[in-house]
Amino acid sequence: MNNIRKKDLLWMYRVMKTSRYFEERMEKAYLEGKQPVFNIGAGPVPGEMHLSNGQEPAAAGMIVHLTKNDTVTATHRPHHEAIAKGVDLKKMTAEIFGKKTGLSKGKGGHMHLFDPNVKFSCGGIVGAGIPHAAGAALANKKRNTNWVAVAFIGDGATNTGAFHESLNLAALWKLPLIVVVEDNSWGISVAKKDSTSVPFNCIRAKSYDINGYYVKKNNPIEMYRDSKEAIDRARNGEGPSIIEIQTDRYLGHFQGDPEFYRNKDEVAALRAKDPIEKLKKKLIKESYITVQELSTIDSLIIKEVDKAYEFAKHSEYPKPEEALGDVFC
């Protein structure tokens, strides 16, 4: 880690830890009123919920290099990227709870977070964020800026037309676009080996004559290094890249997923090599920070997330007639 700035390492730790604690709080909040018999419409957070526990390195290792001027699009599992990009945590939590103080007045929900202040958006349609990011990259190039656009996707999205069409165009026009593939081994309940003809999606970069990177073992340090190279190339007009990170999904595709398709021992094995704990040990071992200083950071993170939950919990719901506002056709 010698060639990585201390402030970047600590930033990544804070983001990963914040995301993990946020998701653990959300896991509990979401299940309120939905047990013992799971009812997707019950409780304070109705509807589907996709949590990102275990996938934090993908967001932290990439977004540490970005600015507010850079665009990020994400998937239906977006909280770690939203937190890393600096989306307002209170407004984001309120949006997830469907409250009028949310990012979109409670009308978007957890799969449709939108914060133009930091150029972040996400959506529930698989692969749909890639053309949006490509469009932002095109706008950045036409404006003669050095801003980049990053599309985070799951490995299942690499088999959509949006993936191939967007990368073909981005390569042709040398757009400042980076596509990050979060390979958690599962596309909903389908194993990657049963859906994708190549072992690694990054090798598809050769089809478009662009750079491809593969980050092994959910490693935030390697993600940091490969992301920096890809972003530097994009800012210098050298075109798009694909980065695939081998990451882990600790929970089901959605909360309430019975996960009959997974081996019962799989998640325990993944958690045993948790990336946050591994980074924490490295920071202490290499004297970047003390145990007490990390404990202080953890306490501040807990307070920040708890405040966001209290804000969301006590915010008002929109009135029924407000459903007719902010509508265009």
Side-chain angles (χ1 to χ4, degrees):
M1 300 196 298
N2 293 336
N3 60 343
I4 302 179
R5 296 178 300 180
K6 177 181 177 180
K7 72 173 188 176
D8 287 348
L9 287 167
L10 294 181
W11 185 92
M12 287 194 292
Y13 175 80
R14 287 191 191 97
V15 163
M16 291 168 66
K17 192 73 175 181
T18 301
S19 179
R20 178 67 59 82
Y21 182 62
F22 182 87
E23 299 292 61
E24 288 172 348
R25 283 296 311 267
M26 181 54 67
E27 185 179 0
K28 292 177 182 178
Y30 179 76
L31 290 175
E32 287 180 30
K34 293 183 175 68
Q35 295 173 320
V37 179
F38 183 74
N39 179 353
I40 199 169
V45 187
E48 282 197 315
M49 178 60 59
H50 312 81
L51 301 180
S52 60
N53 309 46
Q55 297 185 199
E56 298 88 356
M62 163 57 75
I63 296 176
V64 64
H65 302 294
L66 302 184
T67 70
K68 279 191 175 183
N69 291 321
D70 298 317
T71 297
V72 167
T73 66
T75 69
H76 54 271
R77 198 180 310 280
H79 301 161
H80 52 323
E81 280 104 19
I83 288 169
K85 193 61 170 72
V87 171
D88 187 293
L89 198 60
K90 287 183 177 180
K91 292 182 179 179
M92 173 175 133
T93 310
E95 183 62 34
I96 294 170
F97 275 75
K99 299 299 183 72
K100 66 188 301 179
T101 52
L103 293 167
S104 300
K105 303 178 186 178
K107 299 177 181 180
H110 116 95
M111 283 192 282
H112 304 98
L113 303 173
F114 180 67
D115 190 348
N117 294 318
V118 294
K119 293 189 176 180
F120 177 86
S121 65
C122 63
I125 299 174
V126 175
I130 316 170
H132 297 165
L138 176 60
N140 294 342
K141 183 169 184 176
K142 284 186 170 294
R143 290 170 177 161
N144 293 315
T145 71
N146 69 342
W147 305 342
V148 303
V150 181
F152 287 88
I153 61 172
D155 56 271
T158 62
N159 298 321
T160 65
F163 175 84
H164 298 284
E165 292 173 40
S166 298
L167 279 168
N168 179 65
L169 203 64
L172 189 64
W173 293 345
K174 287 194 176 298
L175 301 183
L177 172 70
I178 298 106
V179 175
V180 176
V181 182
E182 297 182 67
D183 174 16
N184 61 25
S185 300
W186 297 99
I188 307 179
S189 59
V190 179
K192 180 184 173 185
K193 63 181 177 60
D194 295 327
S195 66
T196 303
S197 63
V198 292
F200 312 109
N201 286 294
C202 56
I203 67 176
R204 287 173 157 167
K206 293 180 181 178
S207 302
Y208 310 107
D209 195 24
I210 62 176
N211 276 26
Y213 305 84
Y214 187 70
V215 178
K216 298 179 181 178
K217 299 180 180 179
N218 214 13
N219 190 327
I221 305 303
E222 292 307 311
M223 186 65 186
Y224 176 99
R225 290 177 175 140
D226 287 348
S227 295
K228 185 178 188 309
E229 182 176 318
I231 290 169
D232 287 347
R233 291 185 71 258
R235 293 199 197 282
N236 292 330
E238 296 176 55
S241 300
I242 300 172
I243 302 176
E244 179 164 276
I245 177 169
Q246 181 186 25
T247 191
D248 302 320
R249 194 189 81 194
Y250 291 172
L251 303 172
H253 170 64
F254 59 90
Q255 290 309 99
D257 179 1
E259 299 184 78
F260 296 134
Y261 51 88
R262 287 178 108 172
N263 185 298
K264 291 182 180 180
D265 300 324
E266 179 185 326
V267 174
L270 297 178
R271 287 184 181 273
K273 49 185 180 180
D274 185 75
I276 299 176
E277 287 303 309
K278 287 172 75 172
L279 180 58
K280 180 178 182 177
K281 289 176 181 177
K282 278 180 179 284
L283 290 171
I284 294 169
K285 182 180 179 180
E286 299 187 23
S287 301
Y288 282 94
I289 199 167
T290 66
V291 173
Q292 183 57 48
E293 287 170 330
L294 271 178
S295 179
T296 300
I297 289 172
D298 290 351
S299 296
L300 292 172
I301 286 169
I302 290 171
K303 287 180 182 178
E304 181 188 13
V305 173
D306 286 350
K307 282 182 180 178
Y309 272 85
E310 287 302 308
F311 174 79
K313 184 177 178 180
H314 294 104
S315 291
E316 293 182 19
Y317 286 104
K319 296 176 182 178
E321 58 267 27
E322 291 180 51
L324 301 176
D326 305 307
V327 177
F328 67 92
C329 59

